[in-house]
């Protein structure tokens, strides 16, 4: 309720990812916007990722936060329990006290949703920070492995703290003004 648009991915073939192949939806967050997290130092803040997802497949899917060098990652999983039904997911990530996290106009952090990653990207564990470039697990469902499978997402928020607030619907004018600095 309240969302009129979503991003939809459709698998156009049954693809088995090779070890170094990956199919990933990513959102990069500018370092100026993530600097407040204080990641890479003591006192790093916890964040909560929330989103609505719908897929023609059920199962376990991966989501991860990674730094710009892709040498720090925290992989977590979420379950889609009912096919073709919107489900709200909430994942909390502790702040990373290690690694290098840009606080400039460069990529401060990346949020990624796995749609089919090869074994080179399987995390050894979930829910903790690793010095790797992983974003999935060996138990995750690969959307791309099923021809015509679909996956949709909307209402994405990444917030400081350990709970998800209601989605902040901003006016078109407010959103346009926030984007104007990039032109």
């Amino acid at each position: 309720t309240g969302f009129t648009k979503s991003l939809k991915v459709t698998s156009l073939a049954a693809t088995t990812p090779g070890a170094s192949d990956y199919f990933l939806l990513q959102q990069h967050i500018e370092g100026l916007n993530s600097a407040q997290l204080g990641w890479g130092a003591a006192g790093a803040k916890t964040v909560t990722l929330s989103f609505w997802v719908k897929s023609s497949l059920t199962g376990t899917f991966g989501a991860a936060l990674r730094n710009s060098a892709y040498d720090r990652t925290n992989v977590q999983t979420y379950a889609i329990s009912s096919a073709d039904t919107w489900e709200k997911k909430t994942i909390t990530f502790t702040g990373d006290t290690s690694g290098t996290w840009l606080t400039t106009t460069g990529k401060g952090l990346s949020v990624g949703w796995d749609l089919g990653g090869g074994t080179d990207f399987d995390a050894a564990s979930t829910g903790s920070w690793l010095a790797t470039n992983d974003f999935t697990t060996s138990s995750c469902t690969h959307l791309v492995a099923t021809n015509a499978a679909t996956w949709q997402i909307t209402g994405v928020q990444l917030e400081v703290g350990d709970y998800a607030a209601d989605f902040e619907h901003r006016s078109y004018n407010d959103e346009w003004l926030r984007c104007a600095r990039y032109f």
Side-chain angles (χ1 to χ4, degrees):
T1 302
F3 299 104
T4 59
K5 307 285 186 216
S6 67
L7 183 142
K8 184 177 185 179
V9 176
T10 302
S11 175
L12 298 179
T15 302
T16 302
S20 63
D21 295 335
Y22 61 91
F23 299 84
L24 179 69
L25 173 69
Q26 286 190 99
Q27 172 65 52
H28 303 302
I29 299 174
E30 185 176 349
L32 293 174
N33 291 325
S34 61
Q36 66 171 318
L37 301 176
W39 287 8
K45 295 179 183 173
T46 294
V47 296
T48 297
L49 174 67
S50 61
F51 55 97
W52 287 87
V53 65
K54 177 169 90 167
S55 179
S56 60
L57 303 177
T58 60
T60 301
F61 292 78
L65 300 183
R66 298 183 295 163
N67 68 354
S68 62
Y70 297 128
D71 61 6
R72 295 295 295 165
T73 189
N74 187 324
V75 178
Q76 299 209 30
T77 60
Y78 63 94
I80 295 179
S81 23
S82 184
D84 298 316
T85 304
W86 285 107
E87 298 176 16
K88 185 175 183 182
K89 304 301 173 188
T90 302
I91 305 170
T92 300
F93 296 85
T94 58
D96 187 14
T97 58
S98 299
T100 301
W101 297 85
L102 295 183
T103 58
T104 63
T105 57
K107 182 178 15 173
L109 70 96
S110 293
V111 181
W113 292 267
D114 172 44
L115 302 174
T119 56
D120 287 355
F121 303 103
D122 284 347
S125 62
T126 59
S128 60
W129 288 99
L130 305 171
T132 64
N133 181 25
D134 300 328
F135 54 82
T136 188
T137 70
S138 60
S139 63
C140 282
T141 301
H142 291 170
L143 180 85
V144 298
T146 303
N147 185 38
T150 60
W151 181 90
Q152 288 176 258
I153 192 167
T154 193
V156 177
Q157 286 196 144
L158 182 67
E159 306 169 89
V160 176
D162 55 6
Y163 71 95
D166 289 340
F167 188 84
E168 180 184 356
H169 291 274
R170 295 191 294 236
S171 71
Y172 178 84
N173 187 54
D174 184 34
E175 204 61 39
W176 185 87
L177 287 171
R178 290 170 185 253
C179 294
R181 74 174 273 249
Y182 296 104
F183 292 98

